[in-house]
Amino acid sequence: MEAILRLAREMRLVPQIEFISFSRHACDEVLRLQPDAVVVYVSSDMAAMSPAEAKKRGYGGLSYQLNVLMNRPELVDEANRLGIATTLWMVNDCELIDWAACHGITYVSTDCPDKAEAYLEAVAAYKNKK
């Protein structure tokens, strides 16, 4: 982690990077070495870390597999109240994009960004016609 952060500092990229990891230790280590870094914890565990714990640790976001957030939407509500960003993954169909938007998810991660962008543009165009 020290070598990664050293390189990011040398290249003056730290403000442009979100450090993400499935490892709480790695997330904590980034913040120990670079307290102003944006850190996002990633998990597919149904016993997911709460947004309150993420905020306490100094994380800026939580990225959870779709089954976690679809079965525990209260995590999204709590994260939004606490100012913690949420990312839903893997979102590869339009119904999931709609679900994420309706539930206040901050970001979606997809294998099909062109398809997702086209869908969102079509929805926006439709809404603008109303």
Side-chain angles (χ1 to χ4, degrees):
M1 202 56 65
E2 289 175 358
I4 292 168
L5 283 165
R6 186 177 324 106
L7 180 60
R9 288 180 193 123
E10 287 171 11
M11 298 180 74
R12 297 185 181 143
L13 292 174
V14 172
Q16 298 177 49
I17 297 172
E18 286 190 359
F19 296 88
I20 67 171
S21 180
F22 283 91
S23 165
R24 292 178 190 199
H25 173 74
C27 290
D28 292 343
E29 189 66 3
V30 168
L31 289 172
R32 183 184 72 79
L33 297 167
Q34 186 74 41
D36 62 338
V38 177
V39 171
V40 177
Y41 176 68
V42 184
S43 181
S44 60
D45 187 349
M46 286 302 289
M49 176 189 303
S50 73
E53 182 179 349
K55 185 165 183 91
K56 181 179 176 182
R57 288 174 175 261
Y59 302 170
L62 293 169
S63 181
Y64 288 143
Q65 197 268 341
L66 66 96
N67 287 330
V68 174
L69 292 181
M70 291 184 90
N71 286 299
R72 298 193 55 207
E74 71 277 2
L75 292 173
V76 180
D77 295 335
E78 181 183 355
N80 288 337
R81 278 193 308 275
L82 294 171
I84 301 289
T86 52
T87 302
L88 179 68
W89 57 272
M90 195 47 70
V91 177
N92 288 326
D93 64 56
C94 298
E95 289 88 11
L96 290 174
I97 292 172
D98 288 337
W99 186 91
C102 289
H103 286 83
I105 303 289
T106 313
Y107 304 106
V108 296
S109 182
T110 180
D111 291 324
C112 312
D114 294 341
K115 179 181 170 184
E117 182 179 35
Y119 176 72
L120 291 171
E121 287 173 357
V123 168
Y126 174 78
K127 286 181 178 180
N128 288 334
K129 286 183 181 181
K130 284 187 162 185

